[in-house]
């Protein structure tokens, strides 16, 4: 059973995590970063939050986590990792050793398995802990390999694999449905990355350039990368194939956000998918898996949600983009106007340094990329923004504030739509590793009457928990990456009560050789999570649990 930490301890813990300004490791300390004893005296708070995981994680799991996060604490090592791996894999006789090391450490820490079927034991384990799973095929298209004509194109193979992952997810949930009534609480979904569905991602950049130069101006305006228009280009056969299969099998699809120079095209495809698949089928009322009214027994709630449709397709919204929350407000209005359910995955964003560097290069007066001409706007820089200011927020504080503003907007929308029968539903994934943001979401849900605070636990340890009714539970969930922030995930499981899992873990999978680019990129992209002491905290949490396991083994 999940242990819930007293709220006073939580407030102190959140405060220390949120405002930590610990300096980076000095060079003389780098050699000690992997020494186990350096963190065995970690704080009791970090141990308490992470203690739930000790029941299911073995000693070897904890040692691996400690080693991995120890290496992630060394920023220069993380930045140089792709180049180092390229060199090591090119040395005869070293590739097998390096592959074995990466498999034993980073692969097992951050990747669920090599195949969707292989990840099923993990999915079963997560569900036993009341956590869902979001399958993400972690293979990326190599443009040289994509050009070969003697084999199936890589991007088509990825489409086929996504179809297989839908079947695996649906088979798992169908097996659970035999033990339950209906399809309530289906929390095994899949993620889709559009750049992986193309032989060359430049086509997304080209489409994004076209869209930014042909869209009609809006009033009020939405900052770059703008917001989708119904007239956007919609050549999306592969996406339709994926979403059609997902619709047939009852598996929700989450479309990832990427760099801003891809985003106008991704937004266009994503909203086209939502408009096609997040509507009630024509021909009158039908009870289907996305019809929330078929799952709820309360007569008053059923009547209110009779015509409400829950989203099959979700699109990712990045709070670090300056266009938010205007883009989100426009999306809500567009979905209501055109009669489809809006699916939102709200994240902060992972590409801030890259966005700043690309924009600065594009605006450089010494570079043709600094020209305002469309012909040259992407000659030497990937950025395609016509604005003088970068498309991203100026600071972490501004991003945090924007994220919370969007949370408020979304919770208000859920509250307003819940008991109305004349609008489609809205579905939201709050993707965050931030403790303060998770508490803020729960507070907003309670404030709007979407959750009820109850007392739970034993006499020795009682804590306020938030009970979320089924109709709300099908509209919201939290999400974190597999291998990261397990303390937060376990806390949310213990902090909430709902028939369906309120937390899902983003579970990548794929063969080790194929997911190597993903692992390298993921380490760099998530420095915002692992930096500022994040990796150090994860390492110390693992060390505390290692110490607990050792004491248990020796009978201390």
């Amino acid at each position: 059973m999940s242990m819930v930490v007293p709220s006073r301890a939580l407030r102190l813990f959140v405060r220390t995590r949120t405002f930590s300004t610990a300096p980076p490791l000095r060079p003389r300390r780098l050699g000690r970063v992997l020494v186990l004893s350096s963190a065995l005296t970690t704080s009791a708070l970090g141990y308490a939050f992470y203690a739930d995981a000790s029941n299911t994680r073995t000693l070897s799991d904890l040692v691996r986590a400690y080693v991995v996060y120890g290496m992630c604490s060394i920023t220069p090592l993380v930045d140089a990792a792709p180049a180092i791996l390229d060199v090591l894999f090119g040395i005869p006789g070293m590739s097998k050793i390096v592959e074995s090391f990466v498999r034993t450490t980073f692969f097992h820490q951050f990747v669920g398995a090599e195949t969707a079927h292989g990840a099923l034991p993990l999915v079963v384990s997560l569900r036993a802990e009341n956590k869902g799973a979001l399958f993400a095929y972690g293979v990326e298209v190599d443009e040289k390999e994509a050009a070969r004509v003697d084999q199936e194109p890589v991007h088509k193979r990825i489409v086929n694999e996504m179809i297989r992952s839908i079947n695996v997810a649906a088979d798992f949930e169908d097996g659970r449905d035999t033990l339950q009534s209906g399809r309530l609480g289906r929390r095994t979904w899949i993620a889709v990355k559009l750049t992986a569905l193309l032989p060359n991602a430049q086509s997304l950049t080209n489409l994004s350039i076209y869209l930014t130069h042909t869209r009609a101006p809006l009033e009020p305006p939405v900052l770059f990368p703008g917001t989708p228009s119904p007239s956007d280009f919609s050549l999306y056969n592969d996406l339709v194939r994926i979403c059609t299969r997902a619709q047939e099998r009852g598996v929700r699809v989450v479309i990832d956000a990427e760099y801003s120079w891809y985003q106008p095209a991704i937004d266009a495809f994503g909203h086209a998918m939502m408009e096609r698949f997040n509507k009630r089928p024509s021909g009158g009322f039908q009870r289907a898996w996305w019809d929330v009214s078929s799952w709820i027994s309360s007569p008053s709630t059923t009547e209110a949600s009779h015509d409400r449709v829950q989203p099959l397709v979700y699109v990712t919204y990045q709070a670090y983009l300056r266009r938010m929350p205007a883009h989100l407000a426009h999306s809500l209005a567009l979905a209501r106007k055109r009669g489809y359910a809006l699916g939102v995955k709200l994240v902060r964003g992972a590409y801030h340094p890259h966005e700043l560097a690309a924009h600065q290069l594009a605006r450089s007066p010494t570079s043709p990329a600094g020209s305002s001409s469309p012909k040259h706007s992407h000659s030497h820089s990937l950025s395609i923004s016509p604005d003088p200011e970068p498309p991203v927020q100026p600071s972490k504080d501004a991003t945090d504030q924007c994220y919370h503003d969007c949370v408020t907007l979304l919770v208000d929308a859920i509250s307003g739509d819940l008991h109305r029968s004349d609008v489609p539903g809205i579905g939201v994934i709050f993707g965050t590793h931030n403790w303060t943001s998770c508490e803020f979401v729960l507070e907003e849900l309670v404030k709007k009457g979407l959750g009820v605070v109850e007392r739970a636990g034993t006499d020795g340890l009682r804590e306020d928990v938030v009970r979320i009714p089924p109709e709300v539970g099908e509209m919201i969930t939290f999400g974190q990456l597999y291998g990261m922030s397990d303390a937060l995930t376990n806390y949310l499981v213990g902090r909430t009560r709902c028939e369906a899992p309120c937390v899902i873990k983003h579970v990548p999978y794929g063969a080790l050789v194929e997911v190597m680019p993903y692992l390298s990129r993921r380490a760099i992209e998530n420095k915002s999570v692992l930096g500022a002491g994040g990796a150090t905290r994860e390492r110390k949490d693992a060390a505390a649990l290692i110490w607990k396991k050792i004491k248990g083994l020796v009978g201390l």
Side-chain angles (χ1 to χ4, degrees):
M1 178 171 296
S2 296
M3 185 185 81
V4 183
V5 179
S7 57
R8 180 179 300 178
L10 170 67
R11 288 194 294 271
L12 175 61
F13 184 71
V14 170
R15 201 173 292 126
T16 58
R17 284 179 173 243
T18 305
F19 300 107
S20 173
T21 56
L25 290 174
R26 297 176 182 175
R28 63 188 177 85
R29 296 179 58 196
L30 295 183
R32 295 180 292 170
V33 75
L34 297 181
V35 180
L36 181 62
S37 60
S38 67
L40 291 180
T41 58
T42 185
S43 68
L45 276 177
Y47 160 77
F49 281 124
Y50 209 37
D52 288 352
S54 65
N55 294 328
T56 57
R57 303 181 75 188
T58 65
L59 180 59
S60 61
D61 290 337
L62 296 170
V63 171
R64 181 190 67 232
Y66 181 84
V67 171
V68 167
Y69 284 114
M71 288 185 285
C72 287
S73 301
I74 308 173
T75 301
L77 178 61
V78 172
D79 291 335
I84 292 173
L85 290 173
D86 283 344
V87 172
L88 291 177
F89 272 108
I91 300 175
M94 282 292 294
S95 60
K96 291 294 183 181
I97 298 174
V98 175
E99 179 179 332
S100 178
F101 173 76
V102 174
R103 180 182 298 278
T104 304
T105 54
F106 288 89
F107 182 84
H108 286 313
Q109 180 66 25
F110 295 115
V111 180
E114 294 202 344
T115 65
H117 279 287
L120 276 178
L122 172 62
V123 175
V124 172
S125 175
L126 289 172
R127 186 58 59 89
E129 299 171 2
N130 201 30
K131 304 169 189 173
L134 179 66
F135 276 146
Y137 188 41
V139 176
E140 301 179 355
V141 175
D142 184 312
E143 294 178 6
K144 293 181 180 178
E145 186 179 357
R148 293 177 58 180
V149 297
D150 59 342
Q151 60 184 13
E152 180 186 23
V154 179
H155 62 291
K156 294 299 183 183
R157 177 163 56 85
I158 292 173
V159 171
N160 291 333
E161 178 55 41
M162 289 180 178
I163 298 295
R164 280 191 289 272
S165 71
I166 289 172
N167 291 332
V168 171
D171 288 342
F172 170 74
E173 293 291 352
D174 288 348
R176 288 180 50 80
D177 287 342
T178 61
L179 306 176
Q180 306 178 44
S181 58
R183 288 185 167 182
L184 180 66
R186 294 173 75 91
R187 280 295 191 275
T188 309
W189 304 354
I190 72 156
V192 174
K193 199 174 192 69
L194 264 64
T195 50
L197 305 184
L198 296 166
N200 190 334
Q202 181 63 35
S203 58
L204 273 184
T205 302
N206 295 340
L207 177 56
S208 293
I209 293 171
Y210 168 78
L211 292 175
T212 55
H213 286 92
T214 58
R215 282 176 177 161
L218 294 173
E219 188 58 43
V222 178
L223 295 174
F224 178 84
T227 193
S229 166
S231 62
D232 285 344
F233 183 64
S234 57
L235 182 59
Y236 50 53
N237 290 339
D238 286 332
L239 271 176
V240 168
R241 182 183 168 205
I242 290 171
C243 293
T244 298
R245 189 57 174 166
Q247 184 182 59
E248 293 168 352
R249 300 303 307 273
V251 175
R252 300 189 194 187
V253 175
V254 181
I255 296 178
D256 287 339
E258 305 188 47
Y259 295 106
S260 66
W261 43 91
Y262 297 145
Q263 210 52 50
I266 291 174
D267 289 339
F269 281 115
H271 280 256
M273 291 299 102
M274 287 197 291
E275 184 163 1
R276 174 162 179 165
F277 290 95
N278 292 2
K279 283 184 174 180
R280 186 176 307 284
S282 58
F285 175 76
Q286 301 178 26
R287 288 193 182 275
W289 76 271
W290 59 87
D291 170 27
V292 71
S293 67
S294 65
W295 306 330
I296 303 168
S297 57
S298 170
S300 59
T301 309
T302 300
E303 181 180 354
S305 59
H306 181 79
D307 289 324
R308 190 170 64 251
V309 177
Q310 285 299 292
L312 172 81
V313 179
Y314 289 67
V315 170
T316 302
Y317 290 74
Q318 299 161 300
Y320 76 170
L321 290 178
R322 292 170 54 243
R323 67 172 178 176
M324 298 281 280
H327 167 51
L328 179 58
H330 181 271
S331 296
L332 283 165
L334 182 64
R336 288 170 179 166
K337 178 180 179 181
R338 300 184 70 86
Y340 60 87
L342 186 69
V344 175
K345 178 186 176 186
L346 181 64
V347 301
R348 278 174 167 77
Y351 308 108
H352 197 278
H354 302 281
E355 293 283 355
L356 284 177
H359 187 80
Q360 290 169 359
L361 180 59
R363 306 300 297 179
S364 171
T366 61
S367 169
S371 170
S372 60
S373 169
K375 290 192 304 179
H376 299 292
S377 62
H378 62 287
S379 299
H380 296 281
S381 170
L382 291 169
S383 176
I384 61 173
S385 172
D387 300 337
E389 296 296 323
V392 291
Q393 302 282 2
S395 67
K396 175 66 161 57
D397 288 343
T399 298
D400 291 342
Q401 184 60 53
C402 182
Y403 190 93
H404 290 176
D405 290 343
C406 291
V407 168
T408 301
L409 179 61
L410 290 167
V411 173
D412 285 345
I414 293 171
S415 177
D417 291 352
L418 185 61
H419 300 293
R420 294 177 57 184
S421 61
D422 59 336
V423 294
I426 181 173
V428 183
I429 303 171
F430 296 105
T432 178
H433 294 252
N434 187 292
W435 288 73
T436 302
S437 294
C438 290
E439 279 298 309
F440 182 76
V441 172
L442 292 175
E443 290 172 4
E444 289 295 301
L445 291 174
V446 172
K447 186 188 302 182
K448 293 296 180 179
L450 302 175
V452 178
V453 177
E454 298 179 351
R455 298 290 290 177
T458 63
D459 292 336
L461 183 60
R462 297 184 67 85
E463 168 66 341
D464 290 342
V465 299
V466 179
R467 182 166 295 281
I468 299 174
E471 62 272 20
V472 178
E474 288 301 324
M475 302 172 79
I476 66 104
T477 188
F478 294 90
Q480 285 99 40
L481 294 168
Y482 174 67
M484 297 177 61
S485 299
D486 284 345
L488 176 58
T489 303
N490 290 327
Y491 170 75
L492 288 171
V493 170
R495 187 82 161 85
T496 56
R497 297 291 186 274
C498 188
E499 293 183 13
C502 276
V503 188
I504 60 177
K505 296 293 275 188
H506 187 280
V507 180
Y509 71 94
L512 172 60
V513 174
E514 294 178 319
V515 301
M516 287 294 293
Y518 165 85
L519 287 171
S520 298
R521 183 172 51 80
R522 177 60 69 190
I524 294 173
E525 288 173 6
N526 284 285
K527 284 194 294 184
S528 59
V529 178
L530 297 176
T536 301
R537 285 191 295 267
E538 294 276 2
R539 175 171 53 88
K540 288 184 176 182
D541 288 341
L545 293 177
I546 292 171
W547 187 239
K548 179 184 176 183
K549 290 280 188 183
I550 292 174
K551 289 196 298 184
L553 289 173
V554 300
L556 294 180

